[in-house]
Amino acid sequence: MFVGSCLSKLWPRYPAAPAALTQATGTPTCATGTALSTSSTAPTDVTYYWQTSATGTSTTTAYTGPYTVYANGTYYLRAKNTLGNTWSTAVSIVVSNIPVATTPPVP
């Protein structure tokens, strides 16, 4: 039988989700985009990763500071415990103020 302290060393816990995402102030353009960030810092043995869905598990794009996006949409950030391959729930933000090019009229 395992006691709590032994079990926690064998099975790393799920990391806490990052703090809420924020979007930079100001009006973005197609050329400059807008920066997304979190106020939290990943603790030891945890890395934050950008995801394309709330349940994503990609380790392609680690959070290293503000992340500039150039398209409207929902952006997700999750924490991964690097010791036990466990993931937090996602935090998300909806970006909807980047200008979208209009379709030119038919000649």
Side-chain angles (χ1 to χ4, degrees):
M1 181 158 99
F2 291 105
V3 268
S5 62
C6 292
L7 185 58
S8 67
K9 290 180 183 176
L10 292 173
W11 301 103
R13 297 178 187 196
Y14 289 92
L21 292 170
T22 57
Q23 181 179 355
T25 58
T27 304
T29 68
C30 297
T32 62
T34 187
L36 306 179
S37 60
T38 181
S39 62
S40 60
T41 301
T44 302
D45 300 324
V46 172
T47 303
Y48 295 161
Y49 291 99
W50 291 102
Q51 303 297 328
T52 57
S53 73
T55 57
T57 56
S58 170
T59 55
T60 301
T61 309
Y63 180 85
T64 58
Y67 181 64
T68 302
V69 299
Y70 299 91
N72 292 319
T74 304
Y75 294 87
Y76 304 91
L77 189 65
R78 293 183 76 189
K80 179 185 180 191
N81 180 317
T82 56
L83 295 178
N85 198 33
T86 54
W87 290 85
S88 72
T89 57
V91 292
S92 65
I93 190 167
V94 175
V95 174
S96 61
N97 63 340
I98 297 176
V100 177
T102 57
T103 304
V106 177

Coordinates of all heavy atoms in Angstrom, one line a residue:
M1 N 0.8 -1.2 0.0 CA 0.0 0.0 0.0 C 0.9 1.2 0.0 O 1.9 1.3 0.7 CB -0.9 0.0 1.2 CG -1.8 1.2 1.3 SD -3.3 0.9 2.3 CE -2.8 1.6 3.8
F2 N 0.5 2.2 -0.8 CA 1.3 3.5 -0.9 C 0.7 4.5 0.1 O -0.5 4.6 0.3 CB 1.2 4.1 -2.3 CG 1.9 3.2 -3.3 CD1 1.2 2.4 -4.2 CD2 3.3 3.3 -3.4 CE1 1.8 1.7 -5.2 CE2 3.9 2.5 -4.4 CZ 3.2 1.7 -5.3
V3 N 1.7 5.2 0.6 CA 1.2 6.4 1.4 C 1.3 7.6 0.5 O 2.0 7.6 -0.5 CB 2.2 6.6 2.7 CG1 1.6 5.9 3.9 CG2 3.6 6.2 2.4
G4 N 0.6 8.7 0.9 CA 0.4 9.9 0.1 C 1.7 10.4 -0.5 O 1.8 10.7 -1.7
S5 N 2.8 10.6 0.4 CA 4.0 11.2 -0.1 C 4.7 10.3 -1.1 O 5.3 10.7 -2.0 CB 4.9 11.5 1.1 OG 5.3 10.3 1.8
C6 N 4.7 9.0 -0.9 CA 5.3 8.1 -1.8 C 4.5 8.0 -3.2 O 5.1 8.1 -4.2 CB 5.3 6.6 -1.3 SG 6.4 6.4 0.1
L7 N 3.2 8.0 -3.1 CA 2.4 8.0 -4.3 C 2.6 9.3 -5.1 O 2.8 9.2 -6.3 CB 0.9 7.9 -3.9 CG 0.0 7.7 -5.1 CD1 0.4 6.5 -5.9 CD2 -1.4 7.6 -4.6
S8 N 2.8 10.4 -4.5 CA 3.0 11.7 -5.2 C 4.3 11.7 -5.9 O 4.5 12.3 -6.9 CB 2.8 12.9 -4.3 OG 3.9 12.9 -3.4
K9 N 5.3 11.0 -5.4 CA 6.6 10.9 -6.1 C 6.5 9.9 -7.3 O 7.3 10.1 -8.2 CB 7.7 10.5 -5.1 CG 7.9 11.6 -4.1 CD 9.0 11.2 -3.1 CE 9.1 12.4 -2.2 NZ 9.8 12.4 -1.1
L10 N 5.7 8.9 -7.2 CA 5.6 8.0 -8.3 C 4.7 8.5 -9.4 O 4.9 8.2 -10.6 CB 5.0 6.6 -7.7 CG 5.9 5.9 -6.8 CD1 5.2 4.7 -6.2 CD2 7.2 5.4 -7.5
W11 N 3.7 9.2 -9.0 CA 2.7 9.7 -10.0 C 2.6 11.2 -9.9 O 1.9 11.7 -9.1 CB 1.3 9.1 -9.7 CG 1.4 7.6 -9.8 CD1 1.4 6.7 -8.8 CD2 1.5 6.8 -11.0 NE1 1.5 5.4 -9.2 CE2 1.5 5.4 -10.6 CE3 1.5 7.0 -12.3 CZ2 1.6 4.4 -11.5 CZ3 1.6 6.0 -13.2 CH2 1.6 4.7 -12.8
P12 N 3.4 11.9 -10.8 CA 3.4 13.4 -10.7 C 1.9 13.9 -10.9 O 1.2 13.3 -11.7 CB 4.3 13.8 -11.9 CG 5.2 12.6 -12.0 CD 4.4 11.4 -11.7
R13 N 1.7 14.9 -10.2 CA 0.3 15.5 -10.2 C 0.1 16.3 -11.5 O 1.0 16.7 -12.2 CB 0.1 16.4 -9.0 CG 0.2 15.7 -7.7 CD 0.1 16.7 -6.6 NE 0.4 15.9 -5.4 CZ 0.1 16.3 -4.2 NH1 -0.5 17.5 -4.1 NH2 0.3 15.6 -3.1
Y14 N -1.2 16.5 -11.8 CA -1.6 17.4 -12.9 C -1.1 18.8 -12.5 O -1.4 19.3 -11.4 CB -3.1 17.3 -13.2 CG -3.5 16.0 -13.7 CD1 -3.9 14.9 -12.9 CD2 -3.4 15.8 -15.1 CE1 -4.2 13.7 -13.5 CE2 -3.7 14.5 -15.7 CZ -4.1 13.5 -14.8 OH -4.5 12.3 -15.4
P15 N -0.5 19.5 -13.4 CA -0.1 20.9 -13.1 C -1.3 21.8 -13.1 O -2.3 21.6 -13.8 CB 0.9 21.2 -14.3 CG 0.5 20.3 -15.4 CD 0.0 19.1 -14.8
A16 N -1.1 22.9 -12.4 CA -2.1 23.9 -12.4 C -2.1 24.6 -13.8 O -1.1 24.7 -14.4 CB -1.8 25.0 -11.3
A17 N -3.3 25.0 -14.2 CA -3.4 25.8 -15.5 C -2.7 27.1 -15.4 O -2.6 27.7 -14.3 CB -4.9 26.0 -15.8
P18 N -2.2 27.6 -16.5 CA -1.6 28.9 -16.4 C -2.7 30.0 -16.1 O -3.9 29.7 -16.2 CB -1.1 29.2 -17.9 CG -1.1 27.8 -18.5 CD -2.1 27.0 -17.8
A19 N -2.2 31.2 -15.7 CA -3.2 32.3 -15.4 C -3.9 32.7 -16.7 O -3.4 32.3 -17.8 CB -2.4 33.5 -14.8
A20 N -4.9 33.3 -16.6 CA -5.7 33.8 -17.7 C -4.9 34.5 -18.8 O -3.9 35.2 -18.4 CB -6.8 34.7 -17.3
L21 N -5.2 34.2 -20.0 CA -4.5 34.9 -21.1 C -5.0 36.3 -21.3 O -6.2 36.6 -21.1 CB -4.7 34.1 -22.4 CG -4.0 32.7 -22.5 CD1 -4.5 32.0 -23.7 CD2 -2.5 32.9 -22.5
T22 N -4.1 37.2 -21.7 CA -4.5 38.6 -22.0 C -4.0 39.0 -23.4 O -3.0 38.4 -23.9 CB -3.9 39.6 -21.0 OG1 -2.5 39.4 -20.9 CG2 -4.5 39.3 -19.6
Q23 N -4.7 39.9 -24.0 CA -4.3 40.4 -25.3 C -3.8 41.8 -25.1 O -4.3 42.6 -24.3 CB -5.6 40.5 -26.2 CG -5.2 40.9 -27.6 CD -6.5 40.9 -28.5 OE1 -7.6 40.5 -28.1 NE2 -6.3 41.4 -29.7
A24 N -2.7 42.1 -25.9 CA -2.1 43.4 -25.8 C -3.1 44.5 -26.1 O -4.1 44.3 -26.9 CB -0.9 43.5 -26.8
T25 N -3.0 45.7 -25.5 CA -3.9 46.8 -25.8 C -3.6 47.4 -27.1 O -2.5 47.1 -27.7 CB -3.7 47.9 -24.7 OG1 -2.4 48.3 -24.7 CG2 -4.1 47.4 -23.3
G26 N -4.5 48.2 -27.6 CA -4.3 48.8 -28.9 C -5.0 48.0 -30.0 O -5.6 46.9 -29.8
T27 N -5.1 48.6 -31.2 CA -5.8 48.0 -32.3 C -4.8 47.3 -33.2 O -3.9 47.9 -33.7 CB -6.5 49.1 -33.1 OG1 -7.4 49.8 -32.2 CG2 -7.3 48.4 -34.2
P28 N -4.9 46.0 -33.3 CA -4.0 45.2 -34.2 C -4.2 45.5 -35.7 O -5.3 45.9 -36.0 CB -4.2 43.8 -33.8 CG -5.7 43.8 -33.3 CD -5.9 45.1 -32.7
T29 N -3.2 45.2 -36.5 CA -3.4 45.3 -37.9 C -3.0 43.9 -38.5 O -2.4 43.1 -37.7 CB -2.5 46.3 -38.5 OG1 -1.1 45.9 -38.4 CG2 -2.7 47.7 -37.9
C30 N -3.3 43.7 -39.7 CA -2.9 42.4 -40.4 C -1.4 42.3 -40.3 O -0.9 41.2 -40.2 CB -3.3 42.4 -41.8 SG -5.1 42.5 -42.0
A31 N -0.6 43.4 -40.4 CA 0.8 43.3 -40.4 C 1.5 43.2 -39.0 O 2.5 42.4 -38.9 CB 1.4 44.6 -41.1
T32 N 0.9 43.8 -38.0 CA 1.5 43.7 -36.7 C 0.9 42.6 -35.8 O 1.6 42.2 -34.9 CB 1.3 45.1 -36.0 OG1 -0.1 45.3 -35.8 CG2 2.0 46.2 -36.7
G33 N -0.3 42.2 -36.1 CA -0.9 41.2 -35.2 C -1.1 41.7 -33.8 O -1.2 42.9 -33.6
T34 N -1.3 40.8 -32.9 CA -1.5 41.2 -31.5 C -0.8 40.2 -30.6 O -0.7 39.0 -31.0 CB -3.0 41.3 -31.2 OG1 -3.2 41.8 -29.8 CG2 -3.7 40.0 -31.3
A35 N -0.3 40.6 -29.5 CA 0.4 39.7 -28.6 C -0.5 39.2 -27.5 O -1.3 39.9 -26.9 CB 1.6 40.5 -28.0
L36 N -0.3 37.9 -27.3 CA -1.1 37.2 -26.2 C -0.1 36.8 -25.1 O 1.1 36.3 -25.4 CB -1.8 35.9 -26.7 CG -2.7 36.2 -27.9 CD1 -3.3 34.8 -28.4 CD2 -3.8 37.2 -27.6
S37 N -0.5 36.9 -23.9 CA 0.5 36.5 -22.8 C -0.3 36.1 -21.5 O -1.5 36.3 -21.4 CB 1.4 37.7 -22.4 OG 0.6 38.8 -22.0
T38 N 0.5 35.5 -20.6 CA -0.1 35.1 -19.3 C 0.8 35.7 -18.3 O 2.0 35.9 -18.5 CB -0.1 33.5 -19.2 OG1 -0.7 33.2 -17.9 CG2 1.2 32.9 -19.3
S39 N 0.2 36.0 -17.1 CA 1.0 36.6 -16.0 C 1.7 35.6 -15.2 O 2.6 35.9 -14.4 CB 0.1 37.5 -15.2 OG -0.9 36.7 -14.6
S40 N 1.4 34.3 -15.4 CA 2.1 33.3 -14.6 C 3.4 32.7 -15.2 O 3.6 32.9 -16.4 CB 1.1 32.1 -14.3 OG 0.7 31.5 -15.5
T41 N 4.2 32.2 -14.3 CA 5.4 31.6 -14.7 C 5.3 30.1 -14.4 O 4.9 29.7 -13.3 CB 6.6 32.2 -13.9 OG1 6.6 33.6 -14.1 CG2 7.9 31.6 -14.3
A42 N 5.8 29.3 -15.3 CA 5.7 27.8 -15.1 C 6.6 27.4 -14.0 O 7.8 27.8 -13.9 CB 6.1 27.1 -16.4
P43 N 6.1 26.6 -13.0 CA 7.0 26.2 -11.9 C 8.0 25.1 -12.4 O 7.9 24.7 -13.6 CB 6.0 25.6 -10.9 CG 4.8 25.3 -11.7 CD 4.7 26.2 -12.9
T44 N 8.9 24.7 -11.6 CA 9.9 23.7 -11.9 C 9.2 22.5 -12.4 O 8.1 22.1 -11.9 CB 10.7 23.3 -10.6 OG1 11.3 24.6 -10.1 CG2 11.8 22.3 -10.9
D45 N 9.7 21.9 -13.4 CA 9.2 20.6 -14.1 C 7.9 20.8 -14.8 O 7.2 19.8 -15.1 CB 9.1 19.5 -13.0 CG 10.5 19.1 -12.4 OD1 11.5 19.2 -13.1 OD2 10.5 18.8 -11.2
V46 N 7.5 22.1 -15.1 CA 6.3 22.3 -15.9 C 6.7 23.3 -17.0 O 7.5 24.2 -16.8 CB 5.2 23.0 -15.0 CG1 4.1 23.4 -15.8 CG2 4.8 22.0 -13.9
T47 N 6.2 23.0 -18.2 CA 6.3 23.9 -19.3 C 5.0 24.2 -19.9 O 4.1 23.3 -20.0 CB 7.2 23.2 -20.4 OG1 8.4 22.8 -19.8 CG2 7.5 24.1 -21.6
Y48 N 4.8 25.5 -20.3 CA 3.5 25.9 -21.0 C 3.7 25.7 -22.5 O 4.7 26.1 -23.0 CB 3.2 27.3 -20.7 CG 2.9 27.7 -19.2 CD1 3.0 29.0 -18.8 CD2 2.6 26.7 -18.3 CE1 2.8 29.3 -17.5 CE2 2.3 27.1 -17.0 CZ 2.4 28.4 -16.6 OH 2.1 28.7 -15.3
Y49 N 2.6 25.2 -23.1 CA 2.6 25.1 -24.6 C 1.3 25.6 -25.2 O 0.2 25.4 -24.6 CB 2.7 23.6 -24.9 CG 4.0 22.9 -24.6 CD1 4.2 22.2 -23.5 CD2 5.1 23.1 -25.5 CE1 5.4 21.6 -23.2 CE2 6.3 22.5 -25.2 CZ 6.5 21.8 -24.0 OH 7.7 21.2 -23.7
W50 N 1.5 26.3 -26.3 CA 0.3 26.8 -27.1 C -0.3 25.6 -27.8 O 0.4 24.7 -28.3 CB 0.8 27.8 -28.1 CG 1.2 29.1 -27.5 CD1 2.5 29.5 -27.3 CD2 0.3 30.1 -27.0 NE1 2.4 30.7 -26.7 CE2 1.1 31.1 -26.4 CE3 -1.1 30.2 -26.9 CZ2 0.6 32.2 -25.8 CZ3 -1.6 31.4 -26.2 CH2 -0.7 32.4 -25.7
Q51 N -1.6 25.5 -27.8 CA -2.4 24.4 -28.4 C -3.4 25.0 -29.5 O -3.8 26.1 -29.4 CB -3.1 23.6 -27.4 CG -2.2 23.1 -26.3 CD -1.2 22.1 -26.8 OE1 -1.5 21.4 -27.7 NE2 0.0 22.0 -26.2
T52 N -3.8 24.1 -30.3 CA -4.9 24.4 -31.3 C -6.3 24.0 -30.9 O -7.2 24.4 -31.5 CB -4.6 23.8 -32.7 OG1 -4.5 22.4 -32.5 CG2 -3.3 24.3 -33.3
S53 N -6.3 23.4 -29.7 CA -7.6 23.0 -29.1 C -7.5 22.9 -27.6 O -6.3 22.8 -27.1 CB -8.1 21.7 -29.7 OG -7.4 20.6 -29.1
A54 N -8.6 22.9 -26.9 CA -8.5 22.8 -25.5 C -7.9 21.5 -24.9 O -7.5 21.5 -23.8 CB -9.9 23.0 -24.9
T55 N -7.9 20.5 -25.8 CA -7.4 19.2 -25.3 C -6.1 18.8 -26.0 O -5.6 17.7 -25.9 CB -8.4 18.1 -25.6 OG1 -8.8 18.1 -27.0 CG2 -9.7 18.3 -24.7
G56 N -5.5 19.8 -26.7 CA -4.3 19.5 -27.5 C -3.1 19.1 -26.6 O -3.1 19.5 -25.4
T57 N -2.2 18.4 -27.1 CA -1.0 17.9 -26.4 C 0.3 18.1 -27.2 O 1.3 17.4 -27.0 CB -1.1 16.4 -25.9 OG1 -1.3 15.6 -27.1 CG2 -2.3 16.2 -24.9
S58 N 0.3 19.1 -28.0 CA 1.5 19.4 -28.9 C 2.6 20.1 -28.0 O 2.3 20.9 -27.2 CB 1.1 20.3 -30.0 OG 2.3 20.8 -30.7
T59 N 3.8 19.6 -28.2 CA 4.9 20.3 -27.6 C 5.8 21.1 -28.6 O 6.9 21.4 -28.4 CB 5.8 19.3 -26.9 OG1 6.2 18.3 -27.8 CG2 5.1 18.6 -25.7
T60 N 5.1 21.5 -29.7 CA 5.8 22.2 -30.7 C 6.1 23.6 -30.4 O 7.2 24.1 -30.6 CB 5.0 22.2 -32.0 OG1 4.7 20.8 -32.4 CG2 5.7 22.9 -33.2
T61 N 5.2 24.3 -29.7 CA 5.4 25.8 -29.5 C 5.3 26.0 -28.0 O 4.2 26.2 -27.4 CB 4.3 26.6 -30.2 OG1 4.3 26.2 -31.6 CG2 4.6 28.1 -30.1
A62 N 6.4 26.1 -27.3 CA 6.5 26.4 -25.9 C 6.2 27.9 -25.7 O 6.6 28.7 -26.5 CB 7.9 26.0 -25.3
Y63 N 5.7 28.2 -24.6 CA 5.5 29.6 -24.2 C 6.8 30.2 -23.7 O 7.3 29.7 -22.7 CB 4.4 29.7 -23.1 CG 4.1 31.2 -22.7 CD1 3.3 31.9 -23.4 CD2 4.8 31.7 -21.6 CE1 3.0 33.3 -23.0 CE2 4.6 33.0 -21.2 CZ 3.7 33.8 -21.9 OH 3.5 35.1 -21.6
T64 N 7.3 31.2 -24.4 CA 8.5 31.8 -23.9 C 8.3 33.3 -23.7 O 9.3 34.1 -23.6 CB 9.6 31.6 -25.0 OG1 9.1 32.2 -26.3 CG2 10.0 30.2 -25.2
G65 N 7.1 33.8 -23.7 CA 6.8 35.2 -23.5 C 5.7 35.5 -24.5 O 5.1 34.6 -25.1
P66 N 5.3 36.8 -24.6 CA 4.2 37.1 -25.5 C 4.3 36.5 -26.8 O 5.4 36.4 -27.5 CB 4.3 38.7 -25.6 CG 5.0 39.1 -24.3 CD 6.0 38.0 -24.0
Y67 N 3.2 36.0 -27.3 CA 3.0 35.2 -28.6 C 2.2 36.1 -29.5 O 1.0 36.4 -29.2 CB 2.4 33.9 -28.2 CG 2.2 33.0 -29.4 CD1 3.3 32.4 -30.1 CD2 0.9 32.6 -29.8 CE1 3.1 31.5 -31.1 CE2 0.7 31.7 -30.8 CZ 1.8 31.2 -31.5 OH 1.6 30.3 -32.5
T68 N 2.8 36.4 -30.6 CA 2.1 37.3 -31.6 C 1.2 36.4 -32.6 O 1.8 35.5 -33.2 CB 3.0 38.2 -32.4 OG1 3.8 39.0 -31.4 CG2 2.3 39.1 -33.3
V69 N 0.0 36.8 -32.7 CA -0.9 36.1 -33.6 C -1.4 37.1 -34.6 O -1.5 38.3 -34.4 CB -2.1 35.4 -32.9 CG1 -1.6 34.4 -31.9 CG2 -3.0 36.4 -32.2
Y70 N -1.7 36.6 -35.8 CA -2.1 37.4 -37.0 C -3.5 37.1 -37.5 O -3.9 37.6 -38.6 CB -1.1 37.3 -38.1 CG 0.3 37.7 -37.6 CD1 1.2 36.8 -37.1 CD2 0.7 39.1 -37.7 CE1 2.4 37.3 -36.7 CE2 1.9 39.5 -37.3 CZ 2.8 38.6 -36.8 OH 4.0 39.0 -36.4
A71 N -4.2 36.3 -36.8 CA -5.6 35.9 -37.3 C -6.5 35.8 -36.1 O -6.1 35.5 -35.0 CB -5.5 34.5 -37.9
N72 N -7.8 36.1 -36.4 CA -8.8 36.0 -35.3 C -9.0 34.5 -35.0 O -8.8 33.6 -35.9 CB -10.1 36.6 -35.8 CG -10.0 38.1 -36.0 OD1 -9.5 38.7 -35.1 ND2 -10.6 38.6 -37.1
G73 N -9.4 34.2 -33.8 CA -9.6 32.8 -33.5 C -9.5 32.6 -32.0 O -9.3 33.5 -31.2
T74 N -9.6 31.4 -31.5 CA -9.4 31.0 -30.1 C -8.1 30.4 -30.0 O -7.7 29.5 -30.7 CB -10.5 30.0 -29.7 OG1 -11.8 30.6 -30.0 CG2 -10.4 29.7 -28.2
Y75 N -7.3 30.9 -29.0 CA -6.0 30.4 -28.7 C -5.9 29.8 -27.3 O -6.6 30.3 -26.4 CB -5.0 31.6 -28.8 CG -4.9 32.1 -30.3 CD1 -5.8 33.1 -30.7 CD2 -4.0 31.6 -31.1 CE1 -5.7 33.5 -32.0 CE2 -3.9 32.0 -32.5 CZ -4.8 32.9 -32.9 OH -4.8 33.4 -34.2
Y76 N -5.2 28.7 -27.2 CA -5.2 27.9 -26.0 C -3.8 27.7 -25.5 O -2.8 27.6 -26.3 CB -5.7 26.5 -26.3 CG -7.1 26.5 -26.8 CD1 -7.3 26.5 -28.2 CD2 -8.2 26.4 -26.0 CE1 -8.6 26.4 -28.7 CE2 -9.5 26.4 -26.5 CZ -9.7 26.4 -27.9 OH -10.9 26.4 -28.4
L77 N -3.6 27.7 -24.1 CA -2.3 27.5 -23.5 C -2.6 26.4 -22.4 O -3.5 26.5 -21.6 CB -1.8 28.8 -22.9 CG -0.4 28.8 -22.3 CD1 0.6 28.6 -23.5 CD2 -0.1 30.1 -21.6
R78 N -1.7 25.4 -22.4 CA -1.8 24.4 -21.4 C -0.4 24.2 -20.7 O 0.6 24.5 -21.3 CB -2.2 23.1 -22.0 CG -3.6 23.0 -22.5 CD -4.0 21.7 -23.0 NE -4.3 20.8 -21.9 CZ -4.5 19.5 -22.1 NH1 -4.4 18.9 -23.3 NH2 -4.8 18.7 -21.0
A79 N -0.4 23.7 -19.5 CA 0.8 23.4 -18.7 C 1.0 21.9 -18.8 O 0.1 21.1 -18.7 CB 0.7 23.8 -17.3
K80 N 2.3 21.5 -19.0 CA 2.6 20.1 -19.1 C 3.7 19.8 -18.0 O 4.7 20.5 -17.9 CB 3.3 19.7 -20.4 CG 3.6 18.2 -20.5 CD 4.4 17.9 -21.7 CE 4.7 16.4 -21.7 NZ 5.6 16.0 -22.8
N81 N 3.4 18.8 -17.1 CA 4.3 18.3 -16.2 C 5.3 17.5 -16.9 O 5.0 16.4 -17.5 CB 3.6 17.5 -15.1 CG 4.6 17.0 -14.0 OD1 5.7 16.5 -14.3 ND2 4.2 17.1 -12.8
T82 N 6.6 17.9 -17.0 CA 7.6 17.2 -17.8 C 8.1 15.9 -17.2 O 8.7 15.1 -17.9 CB 8.8 18.2 -18.1 OG1 9.3 18.6 -16.9 CG2 8.3 19.4 -18.9
L83 N 7.8 15.7 -16.0 CA 8.2 14.5 -15.3 C 7.2 13.3 -15.5 O 7.6 12.2 -15.7 CB 8.4 14.7 -13.8 CG 9.5 15.6 -13.4 CD1 9.5 15.7 -11.9 CD2 10.8 15.1 -13.9
G84 N 5.9 13.7 -15.6 CA 4.9 12.6 -15.7 C 4.0 12.7 -16.9 O 3.1 11.9 -17.0
N85 N 4.3 13.6 -17.8 CA 3.6 13.7 -19.0 C 2.1 13.9 -18.8 O 1.2 13.4 -19.4 CB 3.8 12.5 -19.9 CG 3.4 12.7 -21.3 OD1 3.5 13.9 -21.8 ND2 2.9 11.7 -22.0
T86 N 1.8 14.7 -17.7 CA 0.4 15.1 -17.4 C 0.2 16.5 -17.8 O 1.1 17.3 -17.8 CB 0.1 14.9 -15.9 OG1 1.1 15.6 -15.2 CG2 0.2 13.4 -15.5
W87 N -1.1 16.8 -18.2 CA -1.4 18.1 -18.7 C -2.5 18.8 -17.8 O -3.4 18.1 -17.3 CB -2.0 18.0 -20.1 CG -1.0 17.6 -21.1 CD1 -0.6 16.4 -21.4 CD2 -0.2 18.5 -22.0 NE1 0.4 16.4 -22.4 CE2 0.6 17.7 -22.8 CE3 -0.2 19.9 -22.1 CZ2 1.5 18.2 -23.7 CZ3 0.7 20.4 -23.1 CH2 1.5 19.6 -23.9
S88 N -2.4 20.1 -17.8 CA -3.4 20.9 -17.1 C -4.7 21.1 -18.0 O -4.6 20.7 -19.2 CB -2.9 22.3 -16.7 OG -2.8 23.1 -17.9
T89 N -5.7 21.6 -17.5 CA -6.8 22.1 -18.3 C -6.2 23.3 -19.1 O -5.2 23.9 -18.7 CB -8.0 22.5 -17.5 OG1 -7.6 23.5 -16.5 CG2 -8.6 21.3 -16.8
A90 N -6.9 23.7 -20.1 CA -6.5 24.8 -21.0 C -7.1 26.1 -20.5 O -8.2 26.2 -19.9 CB -6.8 24.6 -22.4
V91 N -6.3 27.2 -20.7 CA -6.9 28.5 -20.6 C -7.0 29.0 -22.1 O -6.2 28.6 -22.9 CB -6.0 29.5 -19.7 CG1 -6.1 29.1 -18.3 CG2 -4.6 29.6 -20.2
S92 N -7.9 29.9 -22.3 CA -8.1 30.3 -23.7 C -8.5 31.8 -23.8 O -8.9 32.4 -22.8 CB -9.2 29.5 -24.4 OG -10.4 29.7 -23.8
I93 N -8.3 32.3 -25.0 CA -8.7 33.7 -25.3 C -9.2 33.7 -26.7 O -8.7 33.0 -27.6 CB -7.5 34.7 -25.0 CG1 -8.0 36.1 -25.1 CG2 -6.4 34.4 -26.0 CD1 -7.0 37.1 -24.6
V94 N -10.2 34.5 -26.9 CA -10.8 34.7 -28.3 C -10.3 36.0 -28.8 O -10.5 37.1 -28.1 CB -12.3 34.7 -28.3 CG1 -12.9 35.0 -29.6 CG2 -12.8 33.3 -27.8
V95 N -9.6 36.0 -29.9 CA -9.1 37.2 -30.6 C -10.1 37.5 -31.7 O -10.3 36.6 -32.6 CB -7.7 37.0 -31.1 CG1 -7.3 38.2 -31.9 CG2 -6.7 36.8 -30.0
S96 N -10.7 38.7 -31.7 CA -11.7 38.9 -32.8 C -11.6 40.3 -33.4 O -12.4 40.8 -34.1 CB -13.1 38.8 -32.2 OG -13.3 39.7 -31.1
N97 N -10.5 41.0 -33.1 CA -10.3 42.4 -33.6 C -9.2 42.6 -34.6 O -8.8 43.7 -34.9 CB -10.2 43.4 -32.4 CG -8.9 43.1 -31.6 OD1 -8.3 42.1 -31.6 ND2 -8.5 44.1 -30.8
I98 N -8.7 41.6 -35.2 CA -7.7 41.7 -36.3 C -8.5 41.9 -37.5 O -9.4 41.1 -37.9 CB -6.8 40.5 -36.3 CG1 -6.0 40.4 -35.1 CG2 -5.9 40.6 -37.6 CD1 -5.1 39.2 -35.0
P99 N -8.2 43.0 -38.3 CA -9.0 43.2 -39.5 C -8.9 42.0 -40.5 O -7.9 41.4 -40.6 CB -8.3 44.4 -40.1 CG -7.5 45.0 -39.0 CD -7.1 43.9 -38.1
V100 N -10.0 41.8 -41.2 CA -10.1 40.7 -42.1 C -10.3 41.4 -43.5 O -11.1 42.2 -43.7 CB -11.3 39.8 -41.8 CG1 -11.4 38.7 -42.9 CG2 -11.1 39.1 -40.5
A101 N -9.5 41.0 -44.5 CA -9.6 41.5 -45.8 C -11.0 41.2 -46.4 O -11.5 40.1 -46.2 CB -8.5 41.0 -46.7
T102 N -11.6 42.2 -47.0 CA -12.9 41.9 -47.6 C -12.7 41.4 -49.0 O -11.7 41.6 -49.7 CB -13.7 43.2 -47.7 OG1 -12.9 44.2 -48.5 CG2 -14.0 43.8 -46.3
T103 N -13.6 40.6 -49.5 CA -13.6 40.0 -50.9 C -13.9 41.2 -51.8 O -14.8 41.9 -51.7 CB -14.7 38.9 -51.0 OG1 -14.4 38.0 -50.0 CG2 -14.6 38.3 -52.4
P104 N -13.0 41.3 -52.8 CA -13.2 42.4 -53.8 C -14.5 42.1 -54.6 O -14.9 40.9 -54.8 CB -12.0 42.3 -54.7 CG -11.4 41.0 -54.5 CD -11.8 40.5 -53.1
P105 N -15.1 43.2 -55.1 CA -16.4 42.9 -55.9 C -16.1 42.2 -57.2 O -15.0 42.3 -57.7 CB -16.9 44.4 -56.1 CG -15.7 45.2 -56.0 CD -14.8 44.5 -55.0
V106 N -17.0 41.5 -57.7 CA -16.9 40.8 -59.0 C -16.9 41.9 -60.1 O -17.8 42.7 -60.1 CB -18.1 39.8 -59.1 CG1 -18.0 39.1 -60.5 CG2 -18.0 38.8 -58.0
P107 N -16.0 41.8 -61.0 CA -16.0 42.8 -62.1 C -17.1 42.7 -63.0 O -17.8 41.7 -63.2 CB -14.6 42.5 -62.8 CG -14.1 41.3 -62.3 CD -14.9 40.9 -61.1

